[in-house]
Amino acid sequence: TKEMPSYKLSYFNGRGRAELIRIMFAEAGVKFVDDRITDNWPKRKAEFPFGQLPVLEIDGTQLSQTAAIVGYLAKKFNFLSEDDLTNGKVQEIIGIFGDCFAKLPFFEKDEKKKAAAVAEQVNTKIIPAFTKIQEKFVPDCSSTLLGEFTVADMALLTVVDSINDFDKTVFENFPKLKKVYNDTCARPKIAAYLKTRPETPF
Ligand SMILES: N[C@@H](CCC(=O)N[C@@H](CS)C(=O)NCC(=O)O)C(=O)O
């Protein structure tokens, strides 16, 4: 048997762009070093190939860019379909979720500006995207977005958690997506991880 590589994931002390990667490790039952950078970032930035996080180190090789890391692990851990077109849809959905996440006002301090930014993102991006995904992809009564469990289901979990940090009502309007979300959270390894993960503001 081939030995598992050693993995270290560097990110800030939050869920953010790293949480999907952490959930994938949990679901795969694979250990990794969860390196959360809490101070000295300007100095440490130079340790990373493109000066941004997340970065996954695989037996000493650094891989950056969330999409590259997620794609690498999805293949490695078998969180893809056998079908190429389904995998195209997996990437499509993850890209759309990325757009929903990207403009959330994570660091806006002004409450008024923050509320306006959330409303804008919810109305112009999140509601249209979730409506389409629910109609176009999710089969009736399904536990998964695409009729089989893939990394897209774990991506739903993380984007919904981020949206809920800002607005807890939006997701209530998407019952089919909610079932996928709940069933993904209830997968034993993911449930165990969610119970013990650190509580962070983003
Ligand atoms: N396209 C990159 C974006 C990475 C990114 O924006 N990282 C932010 C944190 S979420 C970062 O490292 N910011 C600190 C900096 O740029 O100094 C990805 O998806 O990995």
Side-chain angles (χ1 to χ4, degrees):
T1 64
K2 256 198 326 192
E3 235 182 89
M4 265 290 170
S6 79
Y7 294 108
K8 179 166 98 174
L9 175 65
S10 297
Y11 193 63
F12 302 102
N13 185 27
R15 283 164 284 128
R17 290 182 206 268
E19 196 60 12
L20 174 55
I21 300 163
R22 297 191 186 106
I23 302 258
M24 291 170 82
F25 275 113
E27 177 63 17
V30 172
K31 289 216 160 17
F32 69 103
V33 177
D34 191 14
D35 173 32
R36 290 167 184 256
I37 294 173
T38 53
D39 54 15
N40 237 351
W41 171 242
K43 212 169 151 207
R44 296 207 49 196
K45 201 171 157 75
E47 291 169 28
F48 299 98
F50 296 96
Q52 284 198 315
L53 302 177
V55 168
L56 181 66
E57 199 179 297
I58 306 135
D59 284 337
T61 297
Q62 290 173 309
L63 187 62
S64 64
Q65 290 293 331
T66 315
I69 299 168
V70 167
Y72 170 80
L73 291 180
K75 179 135 192 263
K76 195 106 195 148
F77 296 160
N78 243 323
F79 295 144
L80 294 171
S81 173
E82 304 263 288
D83 177 64
D84 289 342
L85 185 54
T86 303
N87 289 329
K89 293 178 185 174
V90 166
Q91 298 311 322
E92 182 181 39
I93 289 173
I94 291 178
I96 292 165
F97 289 162
D99 294 344
C100 291
F101 169 89
K103 288 205 188 113
L104 289 171
F106 291 98
F107 301 106
E108 181 57 68
K109 292 268 153 46
D110 183 309
E111 288 299 329
K112 251 184 151 165
K113 281 191 198 153
K114 186 166 158 180
V118 171
E120 161 88 9
Q121 182 69 355
V122 164
N123 292 322
T124 65
K125 274 271 153 59
I126 296 169
I127 291 178
F130 279 16
T131 304
K132 271 279 158 56
I133 288 175
Q134 188 168 260
E135 274 171 22
K136 199 163 128 76
F137 295 106
V138 196
D140 278 339
C141 306
S142 179
S143 294
T144 63
L145 295 174
L146 293 163
E148 58 184 303
F149 179 71
T150 67
V151 58
D153 301 310
M154 294 182 267
L156 176 70
L157 195 169
T158 60
V159 76
V160 167
D161 284 350
S162 290
I163 293 166
N164 282 341
D165 288 343
F166 295 95
D167 181 340
K168 287 205 171 25
T169 66
V170 198
F171 195 55
E172 294 303 314
N173 303 312
F174 298 95
K176 285 167 76 181
L177 292 179
K178 209 170 161 187
K179 175 165 169 57
V180 174
Y181 173 89
N182 288 335
D183 289 355
T184 304
C185 289
R187 294 175 75 91
K189 287 175 183 157
I190 292 180
Y193 169 73
L194 294 176
K195 250 197 259 168
T196 56
R197 75 176 167 188
E199 290 241 8
T200 53
F202 69 94

